[in-house]
């Protein structure tokens, strides 16, 4: 199937949600110290893939070598051209009135082949300029060190399955801390370990698309958690005081609702495998992987004739070293799923066979305008309460939330999505006393949506990807969000049915 047919197919399988124009409005308000912002990431917006000394990363590699990996056979060579247009981006942020902007640094712009010798001065300068432009407009920068664009040469060493990554990532992080900690208050080490490891090493949904489920995903998780912890300790010991800053990790989490009253245990197991895998070692009182994962993977491994579990073990020193290494829980949330038990179908090695559940969208839930995710604001509220109760009320920064469509300027479904999710957030804060301190809409503008190329659009601003100037045009959702930020309340929005 050619790229055009694939795009048409994606559009056909989307079910356009029915919208009734009941007006909704909440009475809760965002306090003056609550931060409202937007988020992006380097590979998805910057372009300039081979300019100013940048080296190749795993997304350059996969899109250039197997263009058919991406639905529309596009890539991030130019993307939104933010490498050249960052001043225009800052002007958009100013127009929205955001309190903060979350962006990520491209590792191979700083260290072209990943090794920490001679940082590329032009790469260092680009983020200096971006940070200074934000501060000049009173916009607080939130910096993510790693948002999926690993230098390709490090992938050739095995990427995150190689324990040497702990040292390499720490040295890269040290350079960012050295250069930017005089101006950064919010640091995020790593964005979405689940997508990196389970979907990039275990499955093929993201680069490097290894498809070694039940093996490479656990090795990746193990090294990634150690890398995060080492960087946190470096920050905590040496850099925190420079700007009274905080540092955390961002985890992706859907809400897993039991498919029936008998399935609470299955739903909780899914939460532990998909969220607890990364959250338990860092945020729980005892540290280490969730007990249910150790039990299930250990049993599956021994049934498969292995003398040791496929889930690596932390030493007790490592457990202590990783525990508590996040000042906040960075949360990326998009949707919810129903869950039920589904016994391992055969003896094959995979994360799903270890977890032994299946998940799906309830047919009564409204879908986003691209037909990708269900819109379930109450699931967001339940997830926030679950994080509070499971991990001793951490400070939470919602570092991504949003929904896709195909790039409509009058994006009413997105307006409804933001309206209903922001109300659920206010209820979690005011009725469940969850300590959420910021919220970032994903995304500032349409950008390269990984395997979905430029088909799925998440922006508050539309970007014309066939115009060499990449003009940005405000959608209806930009005006809606601008109003939320200006008035600190969720304005009326069309309700979904
Ligand atoms: C907001 O307050 C008004 C007046 O007190 C009340 O009628 C309305 O039901 C409230 N709305 C919500 C969503 O709680
Ligand atoms: C960068 O890549 C483009 C193709 O995207 C190519 O035309 C150009 O020559 C390359 N520039 C350098 C400096 O290699
Ligand atoms: C930026 O980081 C590099 C590598 O750590 C260092 O050599 C350089 O001095 C730093 N620049 C500043 C301004 O701190
Ligand atoms: C440092 O930040 C914390 C909040 O993260 C705040 O409570 C504290 O007052 C700040 N300290 C200084 C010296 O600014
Ligand atoms: C794992 O195996 C042990 C020993 O056979 C058994 O007691 C336990 O119930 C099993 N646990 C799970 C989660 O299957
Ligand atoms: C961070 O540093 C403080 C002050 O030195 C220390 O009390 C705390 O235990 C450190 N945090 C971790 C997780 O090591
Ligand atoms: C075994 O189960 C896995 C994961 O559920 C599936 O991908 C695979 O096709 C199955 N193999 C056989 C031989 O049924
Ligand atoms: C996008 O840009 C192309 C080239 O300039 C132009 O032909 C097209 O009409 C634009 N599309 C939209 C939706 O503005």
């Amino acid at each position: 199937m050619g790229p055009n047919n694939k795009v048409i197919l994606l559009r056909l399988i989307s079910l356009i949600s029915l919208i009734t124009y009941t007006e909704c409005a909440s009475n809760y308000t965002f306090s003056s110290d609550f931060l409202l912002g937007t988020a992006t990431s380097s590979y998805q917006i910057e372009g300039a893939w081979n300019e100013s000394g940048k080296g190749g990363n795993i997304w350059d590699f996969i899109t250039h070598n197997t263009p058919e990996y991406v639905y529309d056979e596009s890539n991030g060579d130019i993307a939104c051209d933010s490498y050249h247009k960052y001043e225009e981006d800052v002007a958009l942020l100013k127009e929205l009135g955001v309190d903060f902007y979350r962006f990520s640094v491209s590792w191979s712009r700083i260290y072209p082949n990943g090794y920490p010798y001679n940082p590329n001065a032009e790469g260092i300068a680009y983020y200096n300029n971006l940070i200074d432009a934000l501060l000049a407009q009173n916009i607080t920068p939130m910096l993510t060190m790693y948002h999926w664009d690993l230098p390709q040469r490090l992938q050739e060493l095995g990427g995150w399955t190689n324990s040497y990554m702990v040292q390499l990532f720490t040295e890269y992080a040290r350079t960012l801390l050295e250069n930017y900690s005089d101006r950064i208050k919010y640091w995020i080490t790593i964005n979405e370990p689940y997508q990196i490891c389970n979907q990039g090493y275990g499955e093929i949904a993201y680069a490097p698309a290894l498809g070694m489920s039940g093996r490479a995903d656990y090795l990746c998780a193990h090294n990634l958690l150690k890398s995060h912890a080492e960087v946190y300790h470096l920050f905590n010991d040496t850099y925190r005081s420079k700007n009274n800053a905080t540092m955390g990790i961002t985890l992706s989490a859907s809400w897993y609702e039991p498919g029936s009253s008998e399935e609470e245990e299955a739903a909780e197991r899914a939460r532990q495998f998909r969220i607890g895998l990364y959250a338990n070692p860092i945020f729980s009182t005892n540290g280490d992987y969730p007990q249910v994962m150790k039990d299930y993977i250990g049993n599956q491994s021994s049934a498969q004739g292995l003398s040791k579990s496929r889930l690596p073990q932390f030493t007790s020193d490592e457990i202590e070293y990783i525990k508590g290494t996040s000042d906040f829980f960075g949360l990326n949330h998009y949707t919810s799923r129903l869950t039920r038990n589904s016994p391992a179908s055969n003896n094959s090695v995979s994360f799903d066979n270890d977890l032994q559940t299946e998940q799906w969208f309830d047919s009564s839930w409204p879908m986003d305008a691209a037909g990708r995710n269900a819109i379930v604001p109450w699931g967001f509220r339940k997830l926030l309460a679950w994080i509070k109760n499971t991990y001793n009320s951490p400070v939470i920064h919602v570092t991504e939330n949003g929904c896709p469509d195909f790039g409509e300027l009058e994006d009413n479904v997105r307006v409804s999505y933001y309206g209903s999710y922001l109300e659920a957030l206010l209820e979690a804060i005011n009725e469940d006393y969850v300590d959420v301190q910021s919220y970032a809409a994903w995304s500032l503008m349409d950008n390269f949506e990984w395997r979905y190329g430029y088909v799925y659009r998440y922006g508050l601003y539309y970007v014309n990807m066939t115009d060499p100037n990449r003009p940005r045009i405000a959608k209806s959702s930009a005006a809606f969000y601008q109003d939320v930020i200006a008035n600190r309340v969720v304005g009326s929005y069309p309700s979904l049915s």
Side-chain angles (χ1 to χ4, degrees):
M1 198 163 37
N4 288 338
N5 288 339
K6 283 194 208 162
V7 171
I8 290 164
L9 188 67
L10 276 179
R11 285 171 178 265
L12 282 177
I13 58 177
S14 79
L15 301 167
I16 302 303
S17 305
L18 292 172
I19 301 181
T20 60
Y21 284 82
T22 321
E23 299 287 306
C24 302
S26 161
N27 294 338
Y28 291 121
T29 60
F30 289 106
S31 65
S32 58
D33 56 355
F34 187 91
L35 303 177
L36 290 160
T38 71
T40 61
S41 88
S42 47
Y43 185 75
Q44 292 177 279
I45 66 164
E46 283 178 6
W49 79 277
N50 59 357
E51 284 180 45
S52 310
K54 176 180 163 294
N57 62 45
I58 57 175
W59 280 93
D60 296 317
F61 186 85
I62 203 167
T63 57
H64 293 164
N65 289 287
T66 48
E68 65 279 11
Y69 178 74
V70 177
Y71 277 85
D72 57 358
E73 303 200 356
S74 64
N75 58 47
D77 287 3
I78 302 172
C80 306
D81 201 22
S82 286
Y83 185 72
H84 298 114
K85 297 169 83 75
Y86 70 91
E87 286 166 310
E88 211 176 299
D89 295 345
V90 173
L92 298 182
L93 291 161
K94 180 76 184 162
E95 178 176 273
L96 282 173
V98 296
D99 302 308
F100 76 105
Y101 176 53
R102 173 175 178 238
F103 65 95
S104 80
V105 173
S106 163
W107 189 335
S108 65
R109 224 179 256 299
I110 306 295
Y111 288 121
N113 59 18
Y115 289 94
Y117 311 110
N118 303 323
N120 174 26
E122 289 176 271
I124 299 274
Y126 172 65
Y127 299 104
N128 269 327
N129 293 339
L130 174 61
I131 292 165
D132 290 343
L134 291 166
L135 290 172
Q137 299 300 339
N138 242 334
I139 298 166
T140 300
M142 180 182 278
L143 187 154
T144 305
M145 295 174 155
Y146 184 70
H147 197 126
W148 307 359
D149 41 3
L150 190 71
Q152 173 61 21
R153 294 300 276 169
L154 302 187
Q155 192 60 52
E156 287 157 17
L157 281 182
W160 294 101
T161 63
N162 187 336
S163 60
Y164 185 44
M165 277 294 290
V166 178
Q167 194 178 321
L168 292 170
F169 183 64
T170 304
E171 290 312 309
Y172 161 62
R174 188 194 304 278
T175 300
L176 302 188
L177 288 162
E178 271 293 316
N179 282 269
Y180 306 130
S181 61
D182 58 332
R183 284 156 294 156
I184 298 293
K185 273 205 177 306
Y186 298 95
W187 294 91
I188 290 162
T189 53
I190 297 174
N191 179 70
E192 296 190 352
Y194 185 84
Q195 276 62 26
I196 295 167
C197 296
N198 302 72
Q199 298 198 280
Y201 287 70
E203 300 165 23
I204 60 164
Y206 299 98
L210 295 189
M212 298 168 77
S213 187
R215 304 185 208 274
D217 38 11
Y218 299 138
L219 296 177
C220 172
H222 207 64
N223 293 318
L224 190 149
L225 283 161
K226 289 188 200 179
S227 304
H228 159 78
E230 186 136 333
V231 170
Y232 180 88
H233 284 289
L234 173 66
F235 164 78
N236 195 42
D237 296 345
T238 309
Y239 294 92
R240 178 195 294 285
S241 57
K242 292 202 196 271
N243 199 17
N244 191 29
T246 60
M247 176 179 275
I249 191 168
T250 276
L251 307 183
S252 62
S254 297
W255 173 246
Y256 298 98
E257 177 76 4
S260 73
S261 54
E262 279 89 73
E263 303 287 5
E264 173 51 33
E265 202 183 313
E268 180 61 17
R269 190 165 71 249
R271 293 169 207 144
Q272 292 298 337
F273 266 69
R274 291 180 172 222
I275 310 167
L277 168 59
Y278 302 100
N280 211 74
I282 296 173
F283 296 99
S284 73
T285 311
N286 294 327
D288 202 0
Y289 294 122
Q291 189 61 44
V292 70
M293 290 194 76
K294 295 199 279 187
D295 290 347
Y296 271 69
I297 302 167
N299 281 14
Q300 279 288 98
S301 300
S302 73
Q304 288 155 352
L306 301 171
S307 58
K308 277 192 162 180
S309 177
R310 283 178 281 100
L311 183 67
Q313 261 185 4
F314 287 124
T315 64
S316 50
D317 283 351
E318 287 169 343
I319 290 171
E320 287 307 311
Y321 190 72
I322 295 170
K323 209 167 66 177
T325 56
S326 201
D327 300 326
F328 56 84
F329 193 118
L331 171 66
N332 289 356
H333 175 74
Y334 288 90
T335 191
S336 295
R337 289 185 170 78
L338 295 177
T339 308
R340 66 171 164 242
N341 275 297
S342 167
S345 57
N346 58 36
N347 198 27
S348 77
V349 170
S350 76
F351 181 85
D352 283 345
N353 262 351
D354 290 335
L355 166 56
Q356 302 186 40
T357 69
E358 57 186 302
Q359 295 90 29
W360 72 102
F361 295 135
D362 189 278
S363 59
S364 72
W365 294 346
M367 297 297 289
D368 64 47
R372 185 180 195 184
N373 283 328
I375 303 181
V376 194
W378 56 262
F380 185 29
R381 181 173 171 185
K382 281 194 173 188
L383 173 66
L384 289 166
W386 181 84
I387 292 170
K388 176 193 172 198
N389 295 331
T390 310
Y391 305 115
N392 312 310
S393 302
V395 169
I396 297 175
H397 290 293
V398 177
T399 42
E400 287 181 24
N401 178 241
C403 69
D405 58 20
F406 297 119
E408 291 82 358
L409 289 177
E410 302 215 348
D411 54 342
N412 294 317
V413 178
R414 179 171 294 106
V415 170
S416 297
Y417 182 96
Y418 279 130
S420 57
Y421 275 69
L422 285 167
E423 287 203 325
L425 173 63
L426 283 169
E427 285 165 9
I429 294 170
N430 290 286
E431 295 174 28
D432 307 331
Y433 309 106
V434 183
D435 191 3
V436 186
Q437 298 191 357
S438 77
Y439 173 92
W442 182 273
S443 180
L444 171 62
M445 59 193 156
D446 293 344
N447 56 49
F448 181 76
E449 181 52 26
W450 312 110
R451 215 174 171 185
Y452 296 98
Y454 300 108
V455 181
Y456 288 164
R457 305 289 190 113
Y458 281 81
L460 296 168
Y461 286 82
Y462 172 82
V463 181
N464 186 340
M465 295 293 171
T466 53
D467 186 323
N469 292 322
R470 299 296 193 275
R472 287 90 158 112
I473 303 168
K475 303 178 187 177
S476 303
S477 56
F480 177 79
Y481 196 47
Q482 188 178 38
D483 178 75
V484 172
I485 297 169
N487 299 314
R488 317 300 294 181
V489 301
V490 180
S492 56
Y493 59 90
S495 76
L496 293 160
S497 59

